Amino acid sequence: MKGTDRNTQAATLRPQIDSLATQLRAVEANLLQAVITYTSQGLHKECDGFSGIRDWIKESFNLNEACAGQIASIARLAPKFKHLTEAALSGTARIDAIAYAVRRLEREGLAVCSRVPYPTPVESPYSAALCGTPEELIREYCIHSTRSELAEHLDRICAATSSPCSMN
C-alpha cells in the first residue's frame, strides 16, 4: 500500500513539474529573443553603458552567472549561427546546449565551416530530417542528445577539420 501511495504521489507531481519545465523553456526563449533584439541594436552600450552582454544581463536583471553567460553567448553569436539560434528561440533545444555548441564552434574557429553545405545532405541520427550543413546537424544533437553526446559529436567535428571546412 505504501508503494502505491508513493507512485500516486509521483504520478500527480510529474505532470506539474513537466508543465513548469515547459514554461521555463518558453520564458528562456522569450528572454533570449528580447536580449538579441536589445543588444543587436547596441542599446546595452548606448543606453546602459555596458560593453559586455553577460555583465549587462547579470547586473541589470540579477540573473545568475551561468544563465547570463549562456544567453549572452547565444545573443552575441546569433548572426553567425542562425539554425542554432532558431532552435533556442523556438524552445526546441535547451539554452545550455545551444550556448555550449556556439561557444565551442566559435572557439574552434568553425563558424564559417559550420555553414558550408554538405555535398549531399546528411540524415539526422534522430529523425528522417535532412541536414544540409554541419550547423543543422549540430542543431539536431542539441535538440535530442545529452550534453556528453553533444560534446562527443563536436569533438568528432573538430577533429575532422584537419583541412579547412572538411566537416564531413
mmCIF file with all atom_site columns, all heavy atoms in Angstrom, residues 38-39 42-52 55-57 59-61:
data_model
loop_
_atom_site.group_PDB
_atom_site.id
_atom_site.type_symbol
_atom_site.label_atom_id
_atom_site.label_alt_id
_atom_site.label_comp_id
_atom_site.label_asym_id
_atom_site.label_entity_id
_atom_site.label_seq_id
_atom_site.pdbx_PDB_ins_code
_atom_site.Cartn_x
_atom_site.Cartn_y
_atom_site.Cartn_z
_atom_site.occupancy
_atom_site.B_iso_or_equiv
_atom_site.pdbx_formal_charge
_atom_site.auth_seq_id
_atom_site.auth_comp_id
_atom_site.auth_asym_id
_atom_site.auth_atom_id
_atom_site.pdbx_PDB_model_num
ATOM 1   N N   . TYR A 1 38 ? 17.577 43.704 -28.183 1.00 0.00 ? 38 TYR A N   1
ATOM 2   C CA  . TYR A 1 38 ? 18.151 44.848 -27.469 1.00 0.00 ? 38 TYR A CA  1
ATOM 3   C C   . TYR A 1 38 ? 19.626 45.030 -27.812 1.00 0.00 ? 38 TYR A C   1
ATOM 4   O O   . TYR A 1 38 ? 20.068 46.127 -28.155 1.00 0.00 ? 38 TYR A O   1
ATOM 5   C CB  . TYR A 1 38 ? 17.974 44.617 -25.966 1.00 0.00 ? 38 TYR A CB  1
ATOM 6   C CG  . TYR A 1 38 ? 18.119 45.845 -25.105 1.00 0.00 ? 38 TYR A CG  1
ATOM 7   C CD1 . TYR A 1 38 ? 17.034 46.662 -24.850 1.00 0.00 ? 38 TYR A CD1 1
ATOM 8   C CD2 . TYR A 1 38 ? 19.331 46.165 -24.510 1.00 0.00 ? 38 TYR A CD2 1
ATOM 9   C CE1 . TYR A 1 38 ? 17.149 47.781 -24.022 1.00 0.00 ? 38 TYR A CE1 1
ATOM 10  C CE2 . TYR A 1 38 ? 19.462 47.273 -23.689 1.00 0.00 ? 38 TYR A CE2 1
ATOM 11  C CZ  . TYR A 1 38 ? 18.363 48.072 -23.451 1.00 0.00 ? 38 TYR A CZ  1
ATOM 12  O OH  . TYR A 1 38 ? 18.476 49.184 -22.627 1.00 0.00 ? 38 TYR A OH  1
ATOM 13  N N   . THR A 1 39 ? 20.375 43.944 -27.722 1.00 0.00 ? 39 THR A N   1
ATOM 14  C CA  . THR A 1 39 ? 21.823 44.056 -27.908 1.00 0.00 ? 39 THR A CA  1
ATOM 15  C C   . THR A 1 39 ? 22.219 44.197 -29.369 1.00 0.00 ? 39 THR A C   1
ATOM 16  O O   . THR A 1 39 ? 23.248 44.812 -29.663 1.00 0.00 ? 39 THR A O   1
ATOM 17  C CB  . THR A 1 39 ? 22.561 42.867 -27.275 1.00 0.00 ? 39 THR A CB  1
ATOM 18  O OG1 . THR A 1 39 ? 22.103 41.643 -27.864 1.00 0.00 ? 39 THR A OG1 1
ATOM 19  C CG2 . THR A 1 39 ? 22.349 42.839 -25.767 1.00 0.00 ? 39 THR A CG2 1
ATOM 20  N N   . GLY A 1 42 ? 22.634 47.586 -30.080 1.00 0.00 ? 42 GLY A N   1
ATOM 21  C CA  . GLY A 1 42 ? 23.649 48.269 -29.280 1.00 0.00 ? 42 GLY A CA  1
ATOM 22  C C   . GLY A 1 42 ? 23.098 49.052 -28.109 1.00 0.00 ? 42 GLY A C   1
ATOM 23  O O   . GLY A 1 42 ? 23.788 49.888 -27.521 1.00 0.00 ? 42 GLY A O   1
ATOM 24  N N   . LEU A 1 43 ? 21.858 48.764 -27.725 1.00 0.00 ? 43 LEU A N   1
ATOM 25  C CA  . LEU A 1 43 ? 21.231 49.533 -26.647 1.00 0.00 ? 43 LEU A CA  1
ATOM 26  C C   . LEU A 1 43 ? 21.896 49.290 -25.295 1.00 0.00 ? 43 LEU A C   1
ATOM 27  O O   . LEU A 1 43 ? 21.912 50.184 -24.445 1.00 0.00 ? 43 LEU A O   1
ATOM 28  C CB  . LEU A 1 43 ? 19.733 49.219 -26.584 1.00 0.00 ? 43 LEU A CB  1
ATOM 29  C CG  . LEU A 1 43 ? 18.941 49.610 -27.837 1.00 0.00 ? 43 LEU A CG  1
ATOM 30  C CD1 . LEU A 1 43 ? 17.498 49.132 -27.735 1.00 0.00 ? 43 LEU A CD1 1
ATOM 31  C CD2 . LEU A 1 43 ? 19.012 51.103 -28.077 1.00 0.00 ? 43 LEU A CD2 1
ATOM 32  N N   . HIS A 1 44 ? 22.456 48.097 -25.087 1.00 0.00 ? 44 HIS A N   1
ATOM 33  C CA  . HIS A 1 44 ? 23.140 47.817 -23.817 1.00 0.00 ? 44 HIS A CA  1
ATOM 34  C C   . HIS A 1 44 ? 24.360 48.718 -23.658 1.00 0.00 ? 44 HIS A C   1
ATOM 35  O O   . HIS A 1 44 ? 24.720 49.082 -22.541 1.00 0.00 ? 44 HIS A O   1
ATOM 36  C CB  . HIS A 1 44 ? 23.521 46.339 -23.717 1.00 0.00 ? 44 HIS A CB  1
ATOM 37  C CG  . HIS A 1 44 ? 24.527 45.888 -24.723 1.00 0.00 ? 44 HIS A CG  1
ATOM 38  N ND1 . HIS A 1 44 ? 24.270 45.863 -26.079 1.00 0.00 ? 44 HIS A ND1 1
ATOM 39  C CD2 . HIS A 1 44 ? 25.798 45.456 -24.573 1.00 0.00 ? 44 HIS A CD2 1
ATOM 40  C CE1 . HIS A 1 44 ? 25.341 45.435 -26.724 1.00 0.00 ? 44 HIS A CE1 1
ATOM 41  N NE2 . HIS A 1 44 ? 26.293 45.176 -25.833 1.00 0.00 ? 44 HIS A NE2 1
ATOM 42  N N   . LYS A 1 45 ? 24.978 49.109 -24.763 1.00 0.00 ? 45 LYS A N   1
ATOM 43  C CA  . LYS A 1 45 ? 26.139 50.012 -24.730 1.00 0.00 ? 45 LYS A CA  1
ATOM 44  C C   . LYS A 1 45 ? 25.675 51.471 -24.637 1.00 0.00 ? 45 LYS A C   1
ATOM 45  O O   . LYS A 1 45 ? 26.065 52.212 -23.737 1.00 0.00 ? 45 LYS A O   1
ATOM 46  C CB  . LYS A 1 45 ? 26.994 49.828 -25.990 1.00 0.00 ? 45 LYS A CB  1
ATOM 47  C CG  . LYS A 1 45 ? 27.661 48.488 -26.091 1.00 0.00 ? 45 LYS A CG  1
ATOM 48  C CD  . LYS A 1 45 ? 28.411 48.360 -27.396 1.00 0.00 ? 45 LYS A CD  1
ATOM 49  C CE  . LYS A 1 45 ? 29.000 46.957 -27.510 1.00 0.00 ? 45 LYS A CE  1
ATOM 50  N NZ  . LYS A 1 45 ? 29.702 46.778 -28.785 1.00 0.00 ? 45 LYS A NZ  1
ATOM 51  N N   . GLU A 1 46 ? 24.844 51.858 -25.584 1.00 0.00 ? 46 GLU A N   1
ATOM 52  C CA  . GLU A 1 46 ? 24.436 53.254 -25.714 1.00 0.00 ? 46 GLU A CA  1
ATOM 53  C C   . GLU A 1 46 ? 23.587 53.747 -24.547 1.00 0.00 ? 46 GLU A C   1
ATOM 54  O O   . GLU A 1 46 ? 23.796 54.837 -24.016 1.00 0.00 ? 46 GLU A O   1
ATOM 55  C CB  . GLU A 1 46 ? 23.655 53.424 -27.017 1.00 0.00 ? 46 GLU A CB  1
ATOM 56  C CG  . GLU A 1 46 ? 23.242 54.846 -27.326 1.00 0.00 ? 46 GLU A CG  1
ATOM 57  C CD  . GLU A 1 46 ? 22.453 54.928 -28.622 1.00 0.00 ? 46 GLU A CD  1
ATOM 58  O OE1 . GLU A 1 46 ? 22.688 54.106 -29.532 1.00 0.00 ? 46 GLU A OE1 1
ATOM 59  O OE2 . GLU A 1 46 ? 21.605 55.824 -28.721 1.00 0.00 ? 46 GLU A OE2 1
ATOM 60  N N   . CYS A 1 47 ? 22.631 52.950 -24.130 1.00 0.00 ? 47 CYS A N   1
ATOM 61  C CA  . CYS A 1 47 ? 21.679 53.402 -23.107 1.00 0.00 ? 47 CYS A CA  1
ATOM 62  C C   . CYS A 1 47 ? 22.038 52.956 -21.693 1.00 0.00 ? 47 CYS A C   1
ATOM 63  O O   . CYS A 1 47 ? 21.669 53.621 -20.726 1.00 0.00 ? 47 CYS A O   1
ATOM 64  C CB  . CYS A 1 47 ? 20.278 52.907 -23.446 1.00 0.00 ? 47 CYS A CB  1
ATOM 65  S SG  . CYS A 1 47 ? 19.667 53.556 -25.009 1.00 0.00 ? 47 CYS A SG  1
ATOM 66  N N   . ASP A 1 48 ? 22.735 51.818 -21.587 1.00 0.00 ? 48 ASP A N   1
ATOM 67  C CA  . ASP A 1 48 ? 23.006 51.267 -20.260 1.00 0.00 ? 48 ASP A CA  1
ATOM 68  C C   . ASP A 1 48 ? 24.482 51.312 -19.868 1.00 0.00 ? 48 ASP A C   1
ATOM 69  O O   . ASP A 1 48 ? 24.829 51.007 -18.732 1.00 0.00 ? 48 ASP A O   1
ATOM 70  C CB  . ASP A 1 48 ? 22.497 49.822 -20.181 1.00 0.00 ? 48 ASP A CB  1
ATOM 71  C CG  . ASP A 1 48 ? 21.000 49.724 -20.449 1.00 0.00 ? 48 ASP A CG  1
ATOM 72  O OD1 . ASP A 1 48 ? 20.264 50.636 -20.052 1.00 0.00 ? 48 ASP A OD1 1
ATOM 73  O OD2 . ASP A 1 48 ? 20.579 48.729 -21.071 1.00 0.00 ? 48 ASP A OD2 1
ATOM 74  N N   . GLY A 1 49 ? 25.357 51.631 -20.824 1.00 0.00 ? 49 GLY A N   1
ATOM 75  C CA  . GLY A 1 49 ? 26.762 51.791 -20.512 1.00 0.00 ? 49 GLY A CA  1
ATOM 76  C C   . GLY A 1 49 ? 27.556 50.509 -20.312 1.00 0.00 ? 49 GLY A C   1
ATOM 77  O O   . GLY A 1 49 ? 28.597 50.512 -19.662 1.00 0.00 ? 49 GLY A O   1
ATOM 78  N N   . PHE A 1 50 ? 27.088 49.393 -20.880 1.00 0.00 ? 50 PHE A N   1
ATOM 79  C CA  . PHE A 1 50 ? 27.792 48.120 -20.747 1.00 0.00 ? 50 PHE A CA  1
ATOM 80  C C   . PHE A 1 50 ? 28.410 47.739 -22.086 1.00 0.00 ? 50 PHE A C   1
ATOM 81  O O   . PHE A 1 50 ? 27.743 47.768 -23.115 1.00 0.00 ? 50 PHE A O   1
ATOM 82  C CB  . PHE A 1 50 ? 26.830 46.999 -20.323 1.00 0.00 ? 50 PHE A CB  1
ATOM 83  C CG  . PHE A 1 50 ? 26.457 47.043 -18.879 1.00 0.00 ? 50 PHE A CG  1
ATOM 84  C CD1 . PHE A 1 50 ? 25.381 47.817 -18.443 1.00 0.00 ? 50 PHE A CD1 1
ATOM 85  C CD2 . PHE A 1 50 ? 27.172 46.303 -17.948 1.00 0.00 ? 50 PHE A CD2 1
ATOM 86  C CE1 . PHE A 1 50 ? 25.028 47.854 -17.108 1.00 0.00 ? 50 PHE A CE1 1
ATOM 87  C CE2 . PHE A 1 50 ? 26.822 46.344 -16.605 1.00 0.00 ? 50 PHE A CE2 1
ATOM 88  C CZ  . PHE A 1 50 ? 25.754 47.121 -16.181 1.00 0.00 ? 50 PHE A CZ  1
ATOM 89  N N   . SER A 1 51 ? 29.673 47.343 -22.066 1.00 0.00 ? 51 SER A N   1
ATOM 90  C CA  . SER A 1 51 ? 30.295 46.864 -23.303 1.00 0.00 ? 51 SER A CA  1
ATOM 91  C C   . SER A 1 51 ? 30.024 45.377 -23.507 1.00 0.00 ? 51 SER A C   1
ATOM 92  O O   . SER A 1 51 ? 29.911 44.917 -24.629 1.00 0.00 ? 51 SER A O   1
ATOM 93  C CB  . SER A 1 51 ? 31.799 47.134 -23.299 1.00 0.00 ? 51 SER A CB  1
ATOM 94  O OG  . SER A 1 51 ? 32.408 46.476 -22.203 1.00 0.00 ? 51 SER A OG  1
ATOM 95  N N   . GLY A 1 52 ? 29.904 44.626 -22.417 1.00 0.00 ? 52 GLY A N   1
ATOM 96  C CA  . GLY A 1 52 ? 29.675 43.189 -22.497 1.00 0.00 ? 52 GLY A CA  1
ATOM 97  C C   . GLY A 1 52 ? 28.236 42.815 -22.218 1.00 0.00 ? 52 GLY A C   1
ATOM 98  O O   . GLY A 1 52 ? 27.601 43.352 -21.303 1.00 0.00 ? 52 GLY A O   1
ATOM 99  N N   . ASP A 1 55 ? 27.749 40.819 -18.622 1.00 0.00 ? 55 ASP A N   1
ATOM 100 C CA  . ASP A 1 55 ? 27.720 41.704 -17.458 1.00 0.00 ? 55 ASP A CA  1
ATOM 101 C C   . ASP A 1 55 ? 26.455 42.553 -17.437 1.00 0.00 ? 55 ASP A C   1
ATOM 102 O O   . ASP A 1 55 ? 25.883 42.795 -16.377 1.00 0.00 ? 55 ASP A O   1
ATOM 103 C CB  . ASP A 1 55 ? 28.958 42.605 -17.440 1.00 0.00 ? 55 ASP A CB  1
ATOM 104 C CG  . ASP A 1 55 ? 30.219 41.822 -17.106 1.00 0.00 ? 55 ASP A CG  1
ATOM 105 O OD1 . ASP A 1 55 ? 30.103 40.706 -16.557 1.00 0.00 ? 55 ASP A OD1 1
ATOM 106 O OD2 . ASP A 1 55 ? 31.316 42.326 -17.408 1.00 0.00 ? 55 ASP A OD2 1
ATOM 107 N N   . TRP A 1 56 ? 26.005 42.986 -18.611 1.00 0.00 ? 56 TRP A N   1
ATOM 108 C CA  . TRP A 1 56 ? 24.769 43.757 -18.677 1.00 0.00 ? 56 TRP A CA  1
ATOM 109 C C   . TRP A 1 56 ? 23.593 42.940 -18.154 1.00 0.00 ? 56 TRP A C   1
ATOM 110 O O   . TRP A 1 56 ? 22.792 43.420 -17.348 1.00 0.00 ? 56 TRP A O   1
ATOM 111 C CB  . TRP A 1 56 ? 24.527 44.207 -20.127 1.00 0.00 ? 56 TRP A CB  1
ATOM 112 C CG  . TRP A 1 56 ? 23.167 44.779 -20.360 1.00 0.00 ? 56 TRP A CG  1
ATOM 113 C CD1 . TRP A 1 56 ? 22.683 45.980 -19.924 1.00 0.00 ? 56 TRP A CD1 1
ATOM 114 C CD2 . TRP A 1 56 ? 22.109 44.152 -21.084 1.00 0.00 ? 56 TRP A CD2 1
ATOM 115 N NE1 . TRP A 1 56 ? 21.382 46.149 -20.331 1.00 0.00 ? 56 TRP A NE1 1
ATOM 116 C CE2 . TRP A 1 56 ? 21.006 45.035 -21.052 1.00 0.00 ? 56 TRP A CE2 1
ATOM 117 C CE3 . TRP A 1 56 ? 21.978 42.948 -21.760 1.00 0.00 ? 56 TRP A CE3 1
ATOM 118 C CZ2 . TRP A 1 56 ? 19.801 44.742 -21.667 1.00 0.00 ? 56 TRP A CZ2 1
ATOM 119 C CZ3 . TRP A 1 56 ? 20.779 42.658 -22.379 1.00 0.00 ? 56 TRP A CZ3 1
ATOM 120 C CH2 . TRP A 1 56 ? 19.699 43.551 -22.326 1.00 0.00 ? 56 TRP A CH2 1
ATOM 121 N N   . ILE A 1 57 ? 23.507 41.667 -18.585 1.00 0.00 ? 57 ILE A N   1
ATOM 122 C CA  . ILE A 1 57 ? 22.410 40.806 -18.135 1.00 0.00 ? 57 ILE A CA  1
ATOM 123 C C   . ILE A 1 57 ? 22.495 40.577 -16.631 1.00 0.00 ? 57 ILE A C   1
ATOM 124 O O   . ILE A 1 57 ? 21.496 40.707 -15.915 1.00 0.00 ? 57 ILE A O   1
ATOM 125 C CB  . ILE A 1 57 ? 22.420 39.461 -18.889 1.00 0.00 ? 57 ILE A CB  1
ATOM 126 C CG1 . ILE A 1 57 ? 22.110 39.669 -20.374 1.00 0.00 ? 57 ILE A CG1 1
ATOM 127 C CG2 . ILE A 1 57 ? 21.439 38.474 -18.262 1.00 0.00 ? 57 ILE A CG2 1
ATOM 128 C CD1 . ILE A 1 57 ? 22.354 38.430 -21.237 1.00 0.00 ? 57 ILE A CD1 1
ATOM 129 N N   . GLU A 1 59 ? 24.078 42.288 -14.202 1.00 0.00 ? 59 GLU A N   1
ATOM 130 C CA  . GLU A 1 59 ? 23.914 43.481 -13.371 1.00 0.00 ? 59 GLU A CA  1
ATOM 131 C C   . GLU A 1 59 ? 22.529 44.119 -13.500 1.00 0.00 ? 59 GLU A C   1
ATOM 132 O O   . GLU A 1 59 ? 21.973 44.593 -12.528 1.00 0.00 ? 59 GLU A O   1
ATOM 133 C CB  . GLU A 1 59 ? 24.989 44.516 -13.712 1.00 0.00 ? 59 GLU A CB  1
ATOM 134 C CG  . GLU A 1 59 ? 26.405 44.038 -13.465 1.00 0.00 ? 59 GLU A CG  1
ATOM 135 C CD  . GLU A 1 59 ? 26.678 43.698 -12.015 1.00 0.00 ? 59 GLU A CD  1
ATOM 136 O OE1 . GLU A 1 59 ? 26.166 44.407 -11.122 1.00 0.00 ? 59 GLU A OE1 1
ATOM 137 O OE2 . GLU A 1 59 ? 27.394 42.706 -11.775 1.00 0.00 ? 59 GLU A OE2 1
ATOM 138 N N   . SER A 1 60 ? 21.993 44.115 -14.701 1.00 0.00 ? 60 SER A N   1
ATOM 139 C CA  . SER A 1 60 ? 20.719 44.794 -14.928 1.00 0.00 ? 60 SER A CA  1
ATOM 140 C C   . SER A 1 60 ? 19.510 43.961 -14.514 1.00 0.00 ? 60 SER A C   1
ATOM 141 O O   . SER A 1 60 ? 18.490 44.516 -14.123 1.00 0.00 ? 60 SER A O   1
ATOM 142 C CB  . SER A 1 60 ? 20.576 45.163 -16.413 1.00 0.00 ? 60 SER A CB  1
ATOM 143 O OG  . SER A 1 60 ? 21.595 46.044 -16.800 1.00 0.00 ? 60 SER A OG  1
ATOM 144 N N   . PHE A 1 61 ? 19.645 42.645 -14.605 1.00 0.00 ? 61 PHE A N   1
ATOM 145 C CA  . PHE A 1 61 ? 18.474 41.796 -14.388 1.00 0.00 ? 61 PHE A CA  1
ATOM 146 C C   . PHE A 1 61 ? 18.666 40.749 -13.301 1.00 0.00 ? 61 PHE A C   1
ATOM 147 O O   . PHE A 1 61 ? 17.818 39.882 -13.112 1.00 0.00 ? 61 PHE A O   1
ATOM 148 C CB  . PHE A 1 61 ? 18.066 41.138 -15.712 1.00 0.00 ? 61 PHE A CB  1
ATOM 149 C CG  . PHE A 1 61 ? 17.864 42.167 -16.790 1.00 0.00 ? 61 PHE A CG  1
ATOM 150 C CD1 . PHE A 1 61 ? 18.814 42.350 -17.772 1.00 0.00 ? 61 PHE A CD1 1
ATOM 151 C CD2 . PHE A 1 61 ? 16.757 42.998 -16.774 1.00 0.00 ? 61 PHE A CD2 1
ATOM 152 C CE1 . PHE A 1 61 ? 18.663 43.328 -18.749 1.00 0.00 ? 61 PHE A CE1 1
ATOM 153 C CE2 . PHE A 1 61 ? 16.595 43.985 -17.735 1.00 0.00 ? 61 PHE A CE2 1
ATOM 154 C CZ  . PHE A 1 61 ? 17.550 44.154 -18.731 1.00 0.00 ? 61 PHE A CZ  1
#
